[in-house]
Amino acid sequence: MNNNNALFSLLMRYFPHVLTQNWEITPLAGLSGGTYLLQTRCAHQRISLIARADGQTQSSLYVDRDKEARILKQLEQFPYAPKLIGRNNHWLLLTWCVGQNPHYTTFVSPEFQAKLANIVAQLHCHPLLNYRLQLRNEIAHYGALIDKKRLSPRWKKIHHQFLTMKMPKTLKLAPAHMDIHSGNVVSNSDGKIMLLDWEYAANTDIAFSLETYFQFNELTLNQQDFFLHHYCDVSGAYSDKIRLAKHCHLWTPWVKYMMLMWYEVQWNESHQPQFLLQSHSLRQYFNLLG
C-alpha cells in the first residue's frame, strides 16, 4: 500500500483519538483496485471505514477520486450510497456499508431486481450532478492504453468510427452509477441494498446507463423487460417502457465497445488472463478474432 503517511494523516484529522497502530488495514477485492477496509475499536465501539487510493492503475481506468468525492457529496441525501468522510491528495475516506455481496443467483432473482430497479429509478430522478459522462474522451483514453500489438486494421477502423460517428439521442439526462453488479452491491440483514464504488458515476442518458447494466450483468431479454417494467411502470422513472427498451438497444454497440476497451486496458496493465477471457466474446461481437 502506497502513501501510508497520507492515509494516517487523513485518519488523524477525523479520528484524532485513535492511535495509528490501532488501525487494521485490509485490501478489498475489486477490478479497479486501491480499496481498503479500515477497522479499529474505540470506547467499546467498532469503527469501520473504506479508504480508496489514487494511483496509476486508477488513472489508467479513467478513475478520478476528486470527482468521486464531489459526486458523493452531491449524493448526501441519496440513501443508497456511502457517505463521504474526508479527502486529501492521495486518499478518499468513506463510511463502511454493512452487508454482504449477493450471490449472482440472488442478484438476478426477480425480488432483488425489483428492489434494484426502484433504487436506480430514484437515482435517475435525483437532481443532476456536476459531471457529464464524456464518452468519446473515455474511448480515446482507453484507446491510447491498450496493447498496440493487438490492434488490427479492422480494430483501428472500428475505433475511429466510435470516435467520430453520431451517438444515439439522449432520452433523459440523469445521474447514473455506471458500474452496478453484484460485487458493487451489498444487502444487510434487513434487506436494505446499498450501491458501492461510485468512481464511474456521472450524468448520462438513462438508456445508456441501463444498457450498461444489462450488458455487464448479461441479463436476458426477459430479465431486461422485467427490470424496465419495475423502472417505468412501478417506479415511474420513465413513461414509455417500449421506447426506452428500443433506445437501450441503440446503445448496445457503444456499451460493448466500452467494455471491450476496459478489459483490454486491464489486460495491458496487469496481464491477468481473466481479462482476455472477458474480452473474447466482445472481440467476437466486433469480428476482431483471427
Side-chain angles (χ1 to χ4, degrees):
M1 189 177 72
N2 297 325
N3 300 312
N4 287 19
N5 291 339
L7 175 58
F8 291 130
S9 174
L10 186 60
L11 288 169
M12 283 296 294
R13 188 189 311 169
Y14 295 96
F15 302 93
H17 51 288
V18 179
L19 297 176
T20 295
Q21 61 267 29
N22 288 345
W23 286 104
E24 301 171 21
I25 303 176
T26 308
L28 296 177
L31 292 178
S32 58
T35 300
Y36 299 84
L37 169 62
L38 312 180
Q39 292 181 302
T40 191
R41 185 169 291 280
C42 180
H44 309 291
Q45 180 185 8
R46 192 74 172 173
I47 300 173
S48 299
L49 310 169
I50 290 294
R52 289 164 72 72
D54 292 291
Q56 180 57 46
T57 299
Q58 288 72 42
S59 297
S60 297
L61 295 173
Y62 215 71
V63 170
D64 182 337
R65 296 296 186 212
D66 284 333
K67 167 179 164 284
E68 185 178 357
R70 293 189 183 108
I71 282 174
L72 288 173
K73 183 70 175 174
Q74 293 169 58
L75 291 169
E76 270 186 325
Q77 303 308 311
F78 184 68
Y80 306 101
K83 304 307 177 190
L84 173 68
I85 295 175
R87 168 76 176 141
N88 64 16
N89 289 336
H90 300 284
W91 291 93
L92 178 63
L93 204 58
L94 309 174
T95 56
W96 166 255
C97 296
V98 177
Q100 299 292 324
N101 299 122
H103 188 275
Y104 183 74
T105 53
T106 301
F107 181 76
V108 297
S109 68
E111 180 184 6
F112 203 93
Q113 287 296 299
K115 288 182 179 180
L116 204 52
N118 176 259
I119 292 171
V120 172
Q122 291 182 56
L123 177 60
H124 287 182
C125 293
H126 189 280
L128 289 174
L129 307 171
N130 289 342
Y131 297 90
R132 182 160 183 169
L133 183 72
Q134 301 298 316
L135 186 54
R136 289 202 204 277
N137 289 353
E138 288 198 29
I139 291 172
H141 173 87
Y142 290 143
L145 295 175
I146 61 177
D147 184 352
K148 299 304 183 289
K149 295 189 294 292
R150 293 171 62 78
L151 269 178
S152 63
R154 173 171 171 76
W155 192 351
K156 290 178 182 178
K157 180 180 178 181
I158 291 172
H159 186 70
H160 178 73
Q161 288 174 343
F162 278 105
L163 287 174
T164 56
M165 68 183 179
K166 187 176 181 180
M167 294 183 187
K169 174 186 174 184
T170 296
L171 282 185
K172 176 186 172 183
L173 189 66
H177 182 282
M178 295 306 298
D179 195 22
I180 299 176
H181 55 82
S182 59
N184 279 346
V185 171
V186 292
S187 178
N188 66 18
S189 57
D190 295 327
K192 182 178 180 181
I193 294 172
M194 297 291 288
L195 303 182
L196 312 179
D197 294 6
W198 290 76
E199 57 202 9
Y200 293 113
N203 300 325
T204 192
D205 182 30
I206 58 171
F208 180 70
S209 168
L210 292 168
E211 186 63 14
T212 299
Y213 171 70
F214 295 156
Q215 290 295 325
F216 191 85
N217 293 284
E218 300 181 336
L219 298 192
T220 66
L221 290 177
N222 285 338
Q223 289 170 328
Q224 293 176 33
D225 184 70
F226 179 86
F227 191 97
L228 290 176
H229 164 66
H230 281 270
Y231 178 91
C232 293
D233 304 330
V234 178
S235 298
Y238 192 76
S239 60
D240 190 337
K241 179 171 77 79
I242 294 175
R243 186 184 184 203
L244 179 55
K246 289 179 178 177
H247 211 73
C248 286
H249 295 323
L250 293 180
W251 280 111
T252 301
W254 295 85
V255 171
K256 285 183 177 291
Y257 193 64
M258 285 300 295
M259 289 171 62
L260 170 63
M261 299 288 283
W262 195 90
Y263 286 133
E264 288 285 340
V265 170
Q266 280 279 38
W267 154 253
N268 202 27
E269 293 285 320
S270 70
H271 291 285
Q272 294 180 22
Q274 73 189 72
F275 296 117
L276 283 187
L277 267 177
Q278 288 163 319
S279 74
H280 182 83
S281 63
L282 296 165
R283 287 171 61 82
Q284 190 173 38
Y285 175 86
F286 289 107
N287 195 22
L288 295 174
L289 298 179

